[in-house]
Amino acid sequence: MKKTVNIIGSGFSSLAASCYLAKSGYNVTIYEKNKTIGGRARQLKKDGFTFDIGPTWYWMPDVFERFFLDFNKNPSDYYALEKLNPAYSVYFGKDDFITIEDTLEKIVIAFEKEESGSSKKLNKFIKDAKDNYDVAIKDLVYNPGISPLELITPTTIKKINQFFSTIKRDVRKEFKNERLIKILEFPVLFLGAKPSDTPSFYSFMNYADFGLGTFHPKKGMYQVILAMGNLAKELGVVIKTNTPIDKIIVKNDEAKGIVSNGKTYFSDIIVSGADYHHTETLLDKPYRQYSEKYWSNKTFAPSSLLFYIGFNKKLKHVNHHTLFFDVDFDTHAKAIYDTPKWPENPLFYASFPSTTDSSCAPEGKEAGIFLIPLAPGIEDTQELRDKYFEKIISRFENLTSQNVKKNIIFKESFCINDFINDYNSYKGNAYGMANTLLQTAFLRPKLKSKKVKKLFFTGQLTVPGPGVPPSLISGKLVANLVKKYYS
């Protein structure tokens, strides 16, 4: 008789795990608390506009290809992918920006214009970053984080110094132009920590940026979720929405089932892709692996204040992805990591998917997503949201030399309280736990419970870490552990 698996949550990692387990012959059911699948990667539709609520960057296309290839499929079987050119632009002041195009050759030219001699340095930096990418993404991240020995290979031993230096130190050793430094430090923000706290080895994110490029799935990132959901169903996975989990049942130190809306659903295995901290609160205290002190001492990736805006006209001087680095990064970073508070002058990011994808907004209109990184766990009120929207939209108007406030049809916001309410996110974090040196690989929360047999975890608070591609990988890793448990 087939073993049964109940999976909590339907984000990228849960959907990936469900596909691998179903392919291996398990009866799999996903339980999602919200009315649609996707976890943080949901979608907002309003008045003809379409927004990705969560992730908007499609990086590391090879990881997605590898996932679908495991099922003899290709991403193109489910969604159309377009490489963006430009990939993004970065504003440093009024009408003052650098555009990052779609090939390294073009980016090298842009760097040389900014800093004489930087093109040679950039080529070497990206070559080294590619070496790290080949080691990390093609090998290391597919280890389950059980033992430190997973990190020890003939290649990594040669790179040992890169785990004790930082991205910030390495970048500033080679480049002197502050604008170029900010661009090179930007990709590691996806890992959830400051460049000064991120090991040099993670320069592979720079290769993902400059070497592989930035892509856009037509109709948005949610198409990837729909693709994975359809693949899961093709493999026999049952998906139940509007099914929040109230408790995990444990008997004789074994996970036996889950309780939702007063009903009990028994299974042989339980995998949770929900927030790790929240999942443990579903257990009686003796069965929890990590204390509240443990979680409070960890470095979490930022939360975010997000705005989803419908404009009644096309906007000028913006690209699909546009970064606004016109204020001091270190000051903003301190407000996130060192003394958590609302930043006085925040950096922010904006995405205008309708500049390249007509399906995202009615003709002649623009869909805009604005994001301010914030410290998790700080106060979140409507008054603060309104105050910070006024801050960034005024700066946006000034930096891009256009008036847009009067062209806003509607504005929806999403912040810390929503991350908590919708995703049971610890302190309302948006991206999970940061990948610092002491929170890498085997030093992260474990995929398999140490206290409860047949209980497993997946997602961005465990191995390998935050981001969409790591979440796909996390789903594969936990599925392999489940299969190993029964082998």
Side-chain angles (χ1 to χ4, degrees):
M1 188 173 176
K2 286 184 177 182
K3 299 291 184 182
T4 57
V5 181
N6 285 341
I7 297 182
I8 304 172
S10 65
F12 284 106
S13 58
S14 291
L15 289 171
S18 77
C19 291
Y20 286 110
L21 289 168
K23 180 188 176 187
S24 297
Y26 292 82
N27 278 332
V28 183
T29 304
I30 289 175
Y31 298 84
E32 166 58 50
K33 78 182 286 282
N34 294 308
K35 65 180 179 180
T36 58
I37 63 170
R40 285 168 165 83
R42 292 184 298 155
Q43 194 176 60
L44 169 65
K45 290 192 173 188
K46 183 170 182 175
D47 299 345
F49 292 84
T50 301
F51 306 89
D52 283 311
I53 291 178
T56 55
W57 293 78
Y58 191 107
W59 273 9
M60 304 183 186
D62 51 319
V63 175
F64 294 87
E65 290 164 7
R66 187 168 175 174
F67 168 76
F68 284 104
L69 192 60
D70 283 341
F71 304 92
N72 296 315
K73 301 283 187 178
N74 293 296
S76 58
D77 294 330
Y78 297 96
Y79 55 88
L81 203 58
E82 174 186 359
K83 189 173 188 181
L84 296 179
N85 186 29
Y88 56 91
S89 57
V90 185
Y91 271 88
F92 298 97
K94 182 176 174 62
D95 302 322
D96 176 17
F97 58 88
I98 294 177
T99 298
I100 301 300
E101 296 190 72
D102 62 337
T103 67
L104 180 58
E105 291 75 20
K106 295 175 186 175
I107 298 167
V108 164
I109 293 170
F111 266 53
E112 187 66 26
K113 286 180 181 177
E114 282 290 318
E115 181 182 322
S116 179
S118 65
S119 58
K120 185 176 180 180
K121 293 177 181 178
L122 181 63
N123 274 319
K124 182 183 184 305
F125 186 81
I126 298 302
K127 180 181 180 298
D128 293 342
K130 182 183 184 302
D131 289 344
N132 287 350
Y133 190 91
D134 289 340
V135 173
I137 303 303
K138 297 178 181 178
D139 186 13
L140 287 187
V141 295
Y142 285 90
N143 287 315
I146 295 172
S147 163
L149 297 178
E150 294 170 1
L151 297 178
I152 301 173
T153 69
T155 305
T156 57
I157 288 172
K158 295 176 185 176
K159 295 177 178 286
I160 191 69
N161 289 340
Q162 293 192 38
F163 288 94
F164 298 98
S165 185
T166 67
I167 291 291
K168 181 172 184 174
R169 190 178 305 155
D170 287 4
V171 168
R172 290 171 185 269
K173 186 169 63 178
E174 298 295 336
F175 300 89
K176 305 307 175 190
N177 183 296
E178 281 294 328
R179 292 146 65 93
L180 300 185
I181 287 170
K182 285 182 178 179
I183 291 171
L184 287 169
E185 290 181 345
F186 151 68
V188 300
L189 299 180
F190 285 101
L191 302 172
K194 294 187 292 186
S196 58
D197 292 333
T198 303
S200 302
F201 184 71
Y202 285 105
S203 68
F204 64 72
M205 293 296 292
N206 292 102
Y207 175 70
D209 182 1
F210 289 178
L212 296 175
T214 303
F215 294 78
H216 171 70
K218 186 169 176 55
K219 297 185 181 179
M221 285 290 288
Y222 195 64
Q223 295 306 304
V224 186
I225 287 291
L226 294 178
M228 295 177 71
N230 287 334
L231 174 60
K233 290 174 184 175
E234 291 166 18
L235 293 164
V237 176
V238 175
I239 300 175
K240 296 178 182 286
T241 54
N242 293 313
T243 315
I245 305 306
D246 304 311
K247 188 174 179 62
I248 295 173
I249 300 171
V250 179
K251 289 184 179 178
N252 299 321
D253 298 333
E254 283 190 6
K256 293 293 186 180
I258 52 179
V259 178
S260 174
N261 298 325
K263 293 183 180 179
T264 300
Y265 301 92
F266 294 104
S267 63
D268 297 298
I269 291 284
I270 294 172
V271 175
S272 180
D275 177 274
Y276 204 123
H277 169 270
H278 169 72
T279 302
E280 289 223 308
T281 68
L282 301 176
L283 296 162
D284 291 334
K285 279 191 177 181
Y287 297 118
R288 298 175 191 174
Q289 305 168 90
Y290 304 108
S291 66
E292 288 299 320
K293 183 178 179 181
Y294 170 90
W295 294 110
S296 65
N297 286 335
K298 291 300 174 183
T299 300
F300 273 79
S303 186
S304 299
L305 169 56
L306 291 135
F307 296 100
Y308 310 98
I309 304 169
F311 295 96
N312 66 9
K313 69 173 183 180
K314 301 299 289 184
L315 303 191
K316 297 180 291 186
H317 315 309
V318 295
N319 289 312
H320 187 118
H321 296 299
T322 309
L323 305 167
F324 295 87
F325 285 0
D326 56 306
V327 298
D328 184 63
F329 170 81
D330 288 336
T331 303
H332 188 159
K334 285 176 184 175
I336 296 175
Y337 297 103
D338 301 337
T339 52
K341 62 182 179 180
W342 283 81
E344 188 61 34
N345 293 303
L347 288 83
F348 65 97
Y349 151 71
S351 174
F352 304 95
S354 48
T355 60
T356 53
D357 188 342
S358 60
S359 71
C360 295
E363 187 176 354
K365 299 177 182 179
E366 203 85 89
I369 302 167
F370 289 74
L371 180 153
I372 302 173
L374 297 174
I378 59 176
E379 182 185 19
D380 171 19
T381 66
Q382 188 61 49
E383 183 181 5
L384 282 165
R385 296 187 190 196
D386 293 341
K387 174 184 174 182
Y388 276 80
F389 178 73
E390 182 58 33
K391 277 178 182 273
I392 64 169
I393 203 67
S394 295
R395 272 173 48 205
F396 176 82
E397 287 187 323
N398 176 57
L399 293 167
T400 63
S401 296
Q402 62 186 319
N403 296 318
V404 300
K405 291 179 186 177
K406 65 180 184 298
N407 300 104
I408 295 173
I409 304 169
F410 64 82
K411 169 175 62 76
E412 300 281 346
S413 66
F414 197 95
C415 198
I416 291 168
N417 291 343
D418 301 299
F419 281 103
I420 294 170
N421 293 334
D422 288 7
Y423 312 129
N424 295 309
S425 169
Y426 180 72
K427 291 187 177 180
N429 80 81
Y431 309 110
M433 188 183 288
N435 260 342
T436 60
L437 177 61
L438 297 178
Q439 295 181 177
T440 292
F442 66 97
L443 296 173
R444 298 180 70 81
K446 301 301 183 185
L447 289 164
K448 183 176 182 295
S449 173
K450 296 176 289 186
K451 290 192 172 184
V452 180
K453 297 173 186 175
K454 302 182 181 179
L455 174 61
F456 297 81
F457 300 82
T458 187
Q460 53 191 4
L461 267 73
T462 181
V463 181
V468 176
S471 291
L472 293 181
I473 295 167
S474 186
K476 183 174 186 175
L477 294 177
V478 78
N480 287 341
L481 283 186
V482 170
K483 288 184 281 185
K484 187 177 180 181
Y485 184 86
Y486 278 108
S487 64

